[in-house]
């Protein structure tokens, strides 16, 4: 019973140690340090042979040189070619093959397949040149067959493992990017839903407030509060208009919704696709509110898309005019003489979306064949002009 707090404390300490060890293991610097220490431990096995061989290094000096070479692995992520150069230097001076394996792996891992391949070719060519010179140690291969069976697999295997790890890194990066993209898309969709909810709920309440204020103004007509109720009604209508404009101007992603100024670009793209467009826009239409201009852009964009799908090559006429406080949109294109060879890809909701947008601002919408052409008509209140 008395030992239970001590046992719990030990468990907490062990869990903390495991968490810290996991963090350290994931840190790039920690991994590089452990890699350098591992390479030094393997190369240290050659220190007695280096001291006994015919070279100016004694035991401590050989250990120091190998430690400096292993330290270059701390730069293997940012400068793998430097580690590779150090490895070739030790190969030419001390015939040391261990560091070359780590260097080739780093090239393949952090610079990709091309760098790994070039590194292997350079390493094999350099080692073969050394093999042809006097002084090549017998334990590294006395005959050409022994040399190739030792040197080539070392380089190819190390670089191949590095390239495979590089591919896995790319896959993980792409997966992380996909998740991030899906998250951003979900955020954008949620923002769009919030904008629609704000428009629907708040707009409805503002409309009711305006109507009730008008009713009260009529009841109080001739009294001292009639003007106040009229002013309240006008304020509610103005707030509703401002709400519409703000939602349209900001858009879903913070950028303004395109208006009439974007129509020439739509027409140019349609012309490049093979469907020339004639734009007939009333100059007064440029004074429309952003909400109305967005409705015009949406209708014209969808009509040009449909014309390119169902009547490719036919001329499209777009007319936008403002008369008597009404905004009219007419998009007309000739029907094709024959159906396209392949059925166009279409979700069938474009016309529904156009109609919904027009009716949302109190307008009327119609679409269908008329006099040998396909015609889309929309008429809606022009609202206040700027």
């Amino acid at each position: 019973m008395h030992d239970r707090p001590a046992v719990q404390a030990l468990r907490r300490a062990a869990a903390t140690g495991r968490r810290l060890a996991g963090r350290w293991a994931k840190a790039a610097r920690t991994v590089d340090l452990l890699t350098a220490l591992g390479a030094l431990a393997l190369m240290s096995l050659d220190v007695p042979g280096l001291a006994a061989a015919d070279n100016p290094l004694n035991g401590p000096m050989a250990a120091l040189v190998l430690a400096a070479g292993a330290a270059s692995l701390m730069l293997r992520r940012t400068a793998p070619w430097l580690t590779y150069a150090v490895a070739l230097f030790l190969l030419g001076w001390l015939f040391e093959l261990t560091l070359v394996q780590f260097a080739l792996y780093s090239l393949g891992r952090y610079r990709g397949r091309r760098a790994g391949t070039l590194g292997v070719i350079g390493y094999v060519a350099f080692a073969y040149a050394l093999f042809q010179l006097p002084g090549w140690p017998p334990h590294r291969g006395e005959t050409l067959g022994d040399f190739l069976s030792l040197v080539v697999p070392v380089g190819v295997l190390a670089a191949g493992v590095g390239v495979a790890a590089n591919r896995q890194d790319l896959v993980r990066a792409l997966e992380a990017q996909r998740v991030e993209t899906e998250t951003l898309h979900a955020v954008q969709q949620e923002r769009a839903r919030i904008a629609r909810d704000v428009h629907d709920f708040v707009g409805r309440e503002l409309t009711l407030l305006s109507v009730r204020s008008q009713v009260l103004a009529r009841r109080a007509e001739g009294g001292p509060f009639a003007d106040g109720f009229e002013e309240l009604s006008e304020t509610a209508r103005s707030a509703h208009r401002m709400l519409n404009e703000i939602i349209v101007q900001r858009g879903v992603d913070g950028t303004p919704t395109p208006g009439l100024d974007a129509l020439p670009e739509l027409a140019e793209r349609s012309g490049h696709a093979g469907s020339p467009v004639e734009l007939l826009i009333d100059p007064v239409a440029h004074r429309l509110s952003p909400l109305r201009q967005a409705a015009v852009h949406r209708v014209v964009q969808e009509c040009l898309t449909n014309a390119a799908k169902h009547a490719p090559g036919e001329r499209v006429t777009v007319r936008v005019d403002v008369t008597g406080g009404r905004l009219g949109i007419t998009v007309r294109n000739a029907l094709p003489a024959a159906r396209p060879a392949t059925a166009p890809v279409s979700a069938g909701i474009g016309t529904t979306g156009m109609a919904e947008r027009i009716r949302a601002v109190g307008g009327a919408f119609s679409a269908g064949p008329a006099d040998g052409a396909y015609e889309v008509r929309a008429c809606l209140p022009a609202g206040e002009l700027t």
Side-chain angles (χ1 to χ4, degrees), residues 15-359:
T16 302
R18 286 194 298 269
R19 286 196 300 270
L20 292 177
R23 293 177 183 176
W24 291 339
K26 294 179 180 178
R29 286 293 182 183
T30 303
V31 174
D32 292 342
L33 178 60
L34 294 177
T35 301
L37 292 176
L40 178 60
L42 292 175
M43 290 190 294
S44 64
L45 300 176
D46 292 334
V47 171
L50 293 175
D54 185 15
N55 60 63
L57 297 179
N58 54 26
M61 183 59 68
L64 184 61
V65 170
L66 296 180
S72 67
L73 289 172
M74 297 296 295
L75 303 174
R76 68 194 185 105
R77 298 174 188 269
T78 57
W81 286 108
L82 176 61
T83 304
Y84 177 74
V86 172
L88 291 186
F89 174 75
L90 292 182
L91 175 63
W93 185 20
L94 305 176
F95 306 106
E96 175 59 56
L97 293 177
T98 303
L99 187 60
V100 172
Q101 301 175 52
F102 288 87
L104 290 174
Y105 169 83
S106 301
L107 276 179
R109 174 73 182 274
Y110 302 112
R111 291 298 182 269
R113 181 177 60 182
R114 180 177 299 180
T117 302
L118 292 177
V120 171
I121 293 174
Y123 153 69
V124 173
F126 183 71
Y128 181 73
L130 294 176
F131 175 75
Q132 298 297 324
L133 298 177
W136 180 264
H139 67 280
R140 298 299 190 195
E142 292 188 83
T143 65
L144 180 60
D146 294 338
F147 167 80
L148 294 177
S149 64
L150 174 65
V151 171
V152 175
V154 165
V156 173
L157 181 61
V161 173
V163 171
N166 177 263
R167 295 291 179 85
Q168 292 181 352
D169 291 341
L170 292 177
V171 170
R172 284 193 291 267
L174 290 175
E175 180 66 19
Q177 186 177 9
R178 183 188 64 81
V179 173
E180 182 180 0
T181 301
E182 290 180 352
T183 302
L184 291 176
H185 182 63
V187 170
Q188 298 298 340
Q189 287 184 324
E190 184 62 25
R191 287 179 179 177
R193 286 193 290 267
I194 291 173
R196 287 194 296 267
D197 291 343
V198 169
H199 179 274
D200 294 341
F201 298 146
V202 179
R204 181 180 60 194
E205 296 301 322
L206 289 174
T207 301
L208 291 176
L209 176 61
S210 176
V211 172
R212 290 171 181 171
S213 300
Q214 290 176 350
V215 172
L216 292 175
R218 291 192 183 93
R219 291 179 178 178
E221 188 174 358
F225 303 107
D227 292 340
F229 286 127
E230 287 288 352
E231 183 179 353
L232 178 60
S233 177
E234 179 59 30
T235 301
R237 287 194 297 269
S238 177
H240 197 185
R241 288 194 298 269
M242 292 176 60
L243 175 65
N244 289 338
E245 306 303 334
I246 290 173
I247 291 176
V248 173
Q249 288 176 348
R250 288 182 60 87
V252 177
D253 57 355
T255 59
T257 302
L260 293 180
D261 293 338
L263 293 185
E265 182 181 355
L266 287 179
E268 183 179 359
R269 289 206 301 263
S270 180
H272 291 328
S275 298
V277 178
E278 181 183 10
L279 291 178
L280 303 174
I281 302 177
D282 189 342
V284 180
H286 290 279
R287 297 169 51 193
L288 293 168
S289 68
L291 180 65
R292 265 65 177 182
Q293 293 197 31
V296 174
H297 183 276
R298 174 71 177 87
V299 170
V300 173
Q301 182 184 43
E302 187 62 34
C303 287
L304 294 182
T305 301
N306 289 341
K309 289 180 180 178
H310 303 284
E314 299 294 341
R315 188 175 187 82
V316 183
T317 302
V318 177
R319 183 183 298 275
V320 180
D321 53 56
V322 180
T323 306
R326 303 291 292 179
L327 167 62
I329 310 169
T330 304
V331 182
R332 183 183 179 91
N333 62 268
L335 294 174
R339 292 186 177 181
T342 57
V345 178
S346 177
I349 61 175
T351 303
T352 304
M354 286 190 290
E356 177 63 26
R357 180 176 286 269
I358 296 301
R359 296 188 182 109

